[in-house]
């Protein structure tokens, strides 16, 4: 009887690997490089400053460093994700962002941080599920694409 109960519990606790919390070793910084921008360092800083002010206006974001002389920004953002496609609950994770520009080129780095922001309803999720991490990476890609459009002057 006990073995049947243990088997039942194991069956209930096993879940889809995509909905399990990712291993911290799988969290990698995402690096985006923009080149042939035909703008000087100061112009790239101005464009990025405007982008950050507009993009992060609606999001909880903290820009810790805005260094015009070195054309760099360092800060922290919040990203929303779901544990699984069937879960209605949204979770939140923090990420670091770093931006640096030189004449005609720039680089953006986005990296997910472990921990649970206070606004997250997922208090047991230090890191997202694999399904959630895929959503985050897609959002990072969208941020990069949007910034690239701004840097090259596309609408």
């Amino acid at each position: 009887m006990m073995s049947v109960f243990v088997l039942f519990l194991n069956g209930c606790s096993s879940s889809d690997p995509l909905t399990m919390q990712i291993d911290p070793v799988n969290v990698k910084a995402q690096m985006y490089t923009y080149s042939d921008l035909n703008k000087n360092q100061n112009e790239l800083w101005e464009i990025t400053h405007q982008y950050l002010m507009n993009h992060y206006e609606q999001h909880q974001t903290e820009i810790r460093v805005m260094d015009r002389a070195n054309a760099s920004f360092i800060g922290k953002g919040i990203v929303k994700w779901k544990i699984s496609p069937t879960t209605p609950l949204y979770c939140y994770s923090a990420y670091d962002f770093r931006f640096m520009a030189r004449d005609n080129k720039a680089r953006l780095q986005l990296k997910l941080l472990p921990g649970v922001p206070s606004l997250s309803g997922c208090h047991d999720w230090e890191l997202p599920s694999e399904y959630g991490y895929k959503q985050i990476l897609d959002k990072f890609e969208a941020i990069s694409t949007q910034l690239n459009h701004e840097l090259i002057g596309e609408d």
Side-chain angles (χ1 to χ4, degrees):
M1 181 68 156
M2 184 64 152
S3 61
V4 170
F5 182 67
V6 169
L7 252 173
F8 174 74
L9 286 178
N10 283 341
C12 289
S13 66
S14 67
S15 59
D16 180 359
L18 287 178
T19 61
M20 294 173 56
Q21 193 163 212
I22 62 170
D23 188 325
V25 299
N26 293 331
V27 176
K28 307 286 186 219
Q30 303 302 301
M31 190 75 68
Y32 304 95
T33 302
Y34 316 100
S35 55
D36 300 323
L37 298 174
N38 297 320
K39 292 177 179 67
N40 67 37
Q41 177 176 312
N42 191 51
E43 290 171 309
L44 294 171
W45 189 91
E46 285 290 339
I47 291 167
T48 304
H49 179 256
Q50 190 62 46
Y51 170 77
L52 290 173
M53 295 302 108
N54 290 338
H55 178 78
Y56 290 113
E57 187 175 86
Q58 306 92 357
H59 302 86
Q60 292 193 359
T61 301
E62 171 190 350
I63 298 176
R64 295 185 301 240
V65 174
M66 287 195 302
D67 185 347
R68 182 181 213 114
N70 290 310
S72 64
F73 295 91
I74 298 173
K76 187 185 276 188
I78 300 288
V79 62
K80 182 167 78 168
W81 53 275
K82 287 176 68 172
I83 295 170
S84 75
T86 58
T87 304
L89 178 68
Y90 280 95
C91 305
Y92 294 85
S93 291
Y95 65 92
D96 272 338
F97 65 86
R98 296 174 178 272
F99 175 86
M100 182 174 277
R102 297 291 176 252
D103 289 349
N104 302 313
K105 60 187 172 193
R107 179 168 285 157
L108 174 68
Q109 176 183 303
L110 302 170
K111 184 168 189 217
L112 187 67
L113 300 171
V116 182
S118 59
L119 68 112
S120 184
C122 307
H123 300 291
D124 294 333
W125 290 81
E126 289 282 316
L127 289 169
S129 63
E130 286 195 36
Y131 179 80
Y133 190 51
K134 167 83 171 86
Q135 293 168 64
I136 291 168
L137 293 178
D138 289 347
K139 289 178 183 186
F140 284 177
E141 188 68 33
I143 290 168
S144 172
T145 299
Q146 195 172 14
L147 176 60
N148 186 50
H149 289 313
E150 294 292 327
L151 293 173
I152 61 176
E154 290 182 355
D155 292 327

